Amino acid sequence: MASSSDVTSSADHTPENPESGSVPEVSEPTGGPARRGRVRARRAAVMAVPATLVAGALAVLTAEGALGVQFAISGMPFTVTATELNGTGFEQFGGLDTMAPGSPNEGDTGGQVLITTSAIKNATLTKLCQSVDLGGTNLLITAGSGAQKVTASDLTTDSTELSGDASFNNIEIGNDASTLTKAGVKGPIGVFSQQADTVRIANLRQTNYATTAGVFKLPGLKLGFSSKGC
């Protein structure tokens, strides 16, 4: 998670180049130059990672190494909202998530989604809502609406969009993602990142493709189907 501006990990999803950090040459398939261009765009994508309330810096992403998510994503985005998120130990960096081979959700993406991974060592969320559009109906999950808040440890989210009102304590912007220390997650070497001791985001809203947590406690959990999402 990140700032109130727009933001946009997964392990070993990008082909490795053992000889150097440069983008490898891709042989042109029968599909022609258009296909080749899409492959190269995924391997060297320009990403924006915001700082606080305004856009921070841009970095060329060559995602190699261990990121937050360790599984093939479904390719179906889901919405997450909370009236407030508070976290200690915050990190954020860019990456690629990959769908299972042959997924019907690939579209023209080649099965890869450009995302921003946000990692929080310990987090609390108030009035959590999560919804997945199933086409005509939504799978809806809510929790933490009462006196008890949702709590999570070693939380990571892979997002393509994020908004809210954010504040950070002792933030560091421009770190190499392989050197991060605040949340215990390391990104690939050479990738732009940021980290902070604490983060607070009011009116959080995310479009996510993956979430992981060591422990996730959801008091007052409710699951059902609804005509409306979060």
Side-chain angles (χ1 to χ4, degrees), residues 90-108:
F90 167 80
E91 300 173 358
Q92 188 179 67
F93 52 90
L96 289 170
D97 278 355
T98 302
M99 303 174 204
S103 170
N105 300 318
E106 305 190 334
D108 60 358

mmCIF file of all heavy atoms in Angstrom, residues 90-108:
data_model
loop_
_atom_site.group_PDB
_atom_site.id
_atom_site.type_symbol
_atom_site.label_atom_id
_atom_site.label_comp_id
_atom_site.label_asym_id
_atom_site.label_seq_id
_atom_site.Cartn_x
_atom_site.Cartn_y
_atom_site.Cartn_z
ATOM 1 N N PHE A 90 6.859 -0.785 6.978
ATOM 2 C CA PHE A 90 6.234 -0.641 5.660
ATOM 3 C C PHE A 90 7.291 -0.629 4.559
ATOM 4 O O PHE A 90 8.325 0.035 4.683
ATOM 5 C CB PHE A 90 5.439 0.665 5.614
ATOM 6 C CG PHE A 90 4.999 1.071 4.228
ATOM 7 C CD1 PHE A 90 3.888 0.484 3.645
ATOM 8 C CD2 PHE A 90 5.705 2.029 3.513
ATOM 9 C CE1 PHE A 90 3.490 0.853 2.358
ATOM 10 C CE2 PHE A 90 5.310 2.405 2.234
ATOM 11 C CZ PHE A 90 4.197 1.820 1.657
ATOM 12 N N GLU A 91 7.011 -1.371 3.478
ATOM 13 C CA GLU A 91 7.875 -1.377 2.284
ATOM 14 C C GLU A 91 7.006 -1.367 1.038
ATOM 15 O O GLU A 91 5.863 -1.841 1.053
ATOM 16 C CB GLU A 91 8.750 -2.641 2.240
ATOM 17 C CG GLU A 91 9.675 -2.827 3.414
ATOM 18 C CD GLU A 91 10.378 -4.170 3.387
ATOM 19 O OE1 GLU A 91 10.114 -4.988 2.463
ATOM 20 O OE2 GLU A 91 11.192 -4.419 4.292
ATOM 21 N N GLN A 92 7.589 -0.853 -0.069
ATOM 22 C CA GLN A 92 6.852 -0.850 -1.337
ATOM 23 C C GLN A 92 7.822 -0.842 -2.513
ATOM 24 O O GLN A 92 8.803 -0.102 -2.504
ATOM 25 C CB GLN A 92 5.944 0.368 -1.415
ATOM 26 C CG GLN A 92 5.002 0.341 -2.612
ATOM 27 C CD GLN A 92 4.105 1.544 -2.636
ATOM 28 O OE1 GLN A 92 4.582 2.654 -2.821
ATOM 29 N NE2 GLN A 92 2.820 1.338 -2.411
ATOM 30 N N PHE A 93 7.534 -1.688 -3.519
ATOM 31 C CA PHE A 93 8.369 -1.771 -4.711
ATOM 32 C C PHE A 93 7.561 -2.396 -5.838
ATOM 33 O O PHE A 93 6.491 -2.957 -5.625
ATOM 34 C CB PHE A 93 9.638 -2.598 -4.440
ATOM 35 C CG PHE A 93 9.380 -3.957 -3.846
ATOM 36 C CD1 PHE A 93 9.190 -5.062 -4.656
ATOM 37 C CD2 PHE A 93 9.331 -4.122 -2.464
ATOM 38 C CE1 PHE A 93 8.951 -6.322 -4.099
ATOM 39 C CE2 PHE A 93 9.088 -5.363 -1.904
ATOM 40 C CZ PHE A 93 8.897 -6.471 -2.721
ATOM 41 N N GLY A 94 8.082 -2.297 -7.061
ATOM 42 C CA GLY A 94 7.360 -2.786 -8.229
ATOM 43 C C GLY A 94 7.709 -4.216 -8.577
ATOM 44 O O GLY A 94 8.738 -4.754 -8.172
ATOM 45 N N GLY A 95 6.829 -4.839 -9.365
ATOM 46 C CA GLY A 95 7.088 -6.204 -9.795
ATOM 47 C C GLY A 95 6.095 -6.680 -10.834
ATOM 48 O O GLY A 95 5.303 -5.904 -11.377
ATOM 49 N N LEU A 96 6.140 -7.967 -11.142
ATOM 50 C CA LEU A 96 5.240 -8.619 -12.086
ATOM 51 C C LEU A 96 4.596 -9.819 -11.412
ATOM 52 O O LEU A 96 5.277 -10.591 -10.733
ATOM 53 C CB LEU A 96 6.000 -9.101 -13.326
ATOM 54 C CG LEU A 96 6.513 -8.058 -14.303
ATOM 55 C CD1 LEU A 96 7.441 -8.719 -15.323
ATOM 56 C CD2 LEU A 96 5.370 -7.362 -15.016
ATOM 57 N N ASP A 97 3.286 -9.968 -11.595
ATOM 58 C CA ASP A 97 2.596 -11.194 -11.199
ATOM 59 C C ASP A 97 2.247 -11.976 -12.457
ATOM 60 O O ASP A 97 1.954 -11.391 -13.512
ATOM 61 C CB ASP A 97 1.318 -10.875 -10.419
ATOM 62 C CG ASP A 97 1.592 -10.591 -8.954
ATOM 63 O OD1 ASP A 97 2.754 -10.732 -8.521
ATOM 64 O OD2 ASP A 97 0.644 -10.210 -8.237
ATOM 65 N N THR A 98 2.259 -13.299 -12.357
ATOM 66 C CA THR A 98 2.052 -14.165 -13.511
ATOM 67 C C THR A 98 0.897 -15.123 -13.275
ATOM 68 O O THR A 98 0.777 -15.710 -12.200
ATOM 69 C CB THR A 98 3.327 -14.970 -13.823
ATOM 70 O OG1 THR A 98 4.402 -14.052 -14.070
ATOM 71 C CG2 THR A 98 3.145 -15.832 -15.061
ATOM 72 N N MET A 99 0.047 -15.272 -14.292
ATOM 73 C CA MET A 99 -1.082 -16.198 -14.221
ATOM 74 C C MET A 99 -0.623 -17.621 -14.554
ATOM 75 O O MET A 99 0.461 -17.829 -15.101
ATOM 76 C CB MET A 99 -2.171 -15.774 -15.213
ATOM 77 C CG MET A 99 -2.684 -14.363 -15.003
ATOM 78 S SD MET A 99 -3.845 -13.866 -16.303
ATOM 79 C CE MET A 99 -3.657 -12.076 -16.206
ATOM 80 N N ALA A 100 -1.474 -18.580 -14.218
ATOM 81 C CA ALA A 100 -1.197 -19.968 -14.583
ATOM 82 C C ALA A 100 -1.191 -20.086 -16.107
ATOM 83 O O ALA A 100 -1.952 -19.397 -16.794
ATOM 84 C CB ALA A 100 -2.255 -20.890 -13.986
ATOM 85 N N PRO A 101 -0.331 -20.943 -16.667
ATOM 86 C CA PRO A 101 -0.279 -21.101 -18.122
ATOM 87 C C PRO A 101 -1.650 -21.465 -18.691
ATOM 88 O O PRO A 101 -2.345 -22.334 -18.174
ATOM 89 C CB PRO A 101 0.724 -22.252 -18.314
ATOM 90 C CG PRO A 101 1.583 -22.217 -17.080
ATOM 91 C CD PRO A 101 0.664 -21.787 -15.973
ATOM 92 N N GLY A 102 -2.027 -20.754 -19.755
ATOM 93 C CA GLY A 102 -3.306 -21.027 -20.398
ATOM 94 C C GLY A 102 -4.506 -20.425 -19.699
ATOM 95 O O GLY A 102 -5.645 -20.757 -20.040
ATOM 96 N N SER A 103 -4.297 -19.531 -18.748
ATOM 97 C CA SER A 103 -5.420 -18.932 -18.028
ATOM 98 C C SER A 103 -6.350 -18.202 -18.995
ATOM 99 O O SER A 103 -5.891 -17.453 -19.861
ATOM 100 C CB SER A 103 -4.911 -17.942 -16.979
ATOM 101 O OG SER A 103 -5.990 -17.189 -16.436
ATOM 102 N N PRO A 104 -7.673 -18.378 -18.853
ATOM 103 C CA PRO A 104 -8.612 -17.667 -19.725
ATOM 104 C C PRO A 104 -8.653 -16.172 -19.449
ATOM 105 O O PRO A 104 -9.278 -15.423 -20.197
ATOM 106 C CB PRO A 104 -9.959 -18.322 -19.399
ATOM 107 C CG PRO A 104 -9.801 -18.836 -18.002
ATOM 108 C CD PRO A 104 -8.369 -19.263 -17.897
ATOM 109 N N ASN A 105 -7.990 -15.729 -18.376
ATOM 110 C CA ASN A 105 -8.000 -14.306 -18.019
ATOM 111 C C ASN A 105 -6.804 -13.542 -18.564
ATOM 112 O O ASN A 105 -6.635 -12.369 -18.271
ATOM 113 C CB ASN A 105 -8.047 -14.168 -16.489
ATOM 114 C CG ASN A 105 -9.276 -14.807 -15.891
ATOM 115 O OD1 ASN A 105 -10.368 -14.686 -16.421
ATOM 116 N ND2 ASN A 105 -9.094 -15.524 -14.783
ATOM 117 N N GLU A 106 -5.966 -14.189 -19.355
ATOM 118 C CA GLU A 106 -4.770 -13.525 -19.880
ATOM 119 C C GLU A 106 -5.099 -12.318 -20.738
ATOM 120 O O GLU A 106 -4.413 -11.313 -20.682
ATOM 121 C CB GLU A 106 -3.925 -14.421 -20.786
ATOM 122 C CG GLU A 106 -3.466 -15.634 -20.374
ATOM 123 C CD GLU A 106 -2.454 -16.319 -21.289
ATOM 124 O OE1 GLU A 106 -2.430 -16.061 -22.506
ATOM 125 O OE2 GLU A 106 -1.722 -17.138 -20.776
ATOM 126 N N GLY A 107 -6.131 -12.441 -21.609
ATOM 127 C CA GLY A 107 -6.408 -11.374 -22.569
ATOM 128 C C GLY A 107 -5.191 -11.157 -23.446
ATOM 129 O O GLY A 107 -4.582 -12.103 -23.940
ATOM 130 N N ASP A 108 -4.812 -9.882 -23.632
ATOM 131 C CA ASP A 108 -3.628 -9.589 -24.439
ATOM 132 C C ASP A 108 -2.418 -9.258 -23.571
ATOM 133 O O ASP A 108 -1.461 -8.647 -24.026
ATOM 134 C CB ASP A 108 -3.908 -8.432 -25.404
ATOM 135 C CG ASP A 108 -4.289 -7.149 -24.680
ATOM 136 O OD1 ASP A 108 -4.377 -7.169 -23.427
ATOM 137 O OD2 ASP A 108 -4.502 -6.126 -25.358
#
